[in-house]
Amino acid sequence: MSEEIGVWSDAVEEAFQEALNIYPPCGRKKIILTNEGKLYGRNELIARYIKMKTGQSRTRKQVSSHIQVLSRKKPGEKFKGINTTNKVSKTQILFDV
């Protein structure tokens, strides 16, 4: 856990929380970035957002692990990163980053 805190500084954590609000949970679906035409999963988009906002890199696996750690930390509360009420429609979502 101490490694987790070191990797997720306040600036990175703030960018992470912003990205969770921007990119809703979408299961195994991929999202197309209109300016690149490449498919990205939600965790990859969150990692890209963190890089864009802070200049610090995080991998999709680090993002995934951080979501899991935070969801376990708050057992009595719903963690907004895994809220299932914001389901993505079956049509492809387009985001510009």
Side-chain angles (χ1 to χ4, degrees):
M1 182 72 177
S2 61
E3 287 179 31
E4 187 78 18
I5 292 169
V7 172
W8 298 92
S9 66
D10 290 343
V12 174
E13 181 66 29
E14 183 178 331
F16 171 77
Q17 292 295 332
E18 288 173 14
L20 287 177
N21 290 324
I22 293 169
Y23 302 111
C26 58
R28 293 183 180 262
K29 294 179 184 162
K30 297 286 184 175
I31 297 169
I32 297 174
L33 291 184
T34 57
N35 59 343
E36 297 177 13
K38 186 177 174 197
L39 295 172
Y40 290 93
R42 180 183 187 222
N43 292 345
E44 290 171 294
L45 291 171
I46 292 171
R48 286 173 52 94
Y49 186 84
I50 291 169
K51 176 73 172 176
M52 181 186 71
K53 289 288 281 194
T54 68
Q56 298 181 36
S57 296
R58 297 295 177 272
T59 66
R60 65 181 174 80
K61 290 184 178 186
Q62 285 175 308
V63 169
S64 174
S65 174
H66 194 53
I67 290 171
Q68 288 178 343
V69 167
L70 292 178
S71 66
R72 287 185 194 130
K73 248 184 176 179
K74 305 175 181 182
E77 304 171 24
K78 273 215 170 208
F79 173 59
K80 63 184 169 186
I82 56 171
N83 183 354
T84 58
T85 58
N86 290 336
K87 295 252 181 186
V88 176
S89 69
K90 290 185 180 182
T91 57
Q92 208 64 10
I93 296 178
L94 304 177
F95 287 104
D96 284 316
V97 175

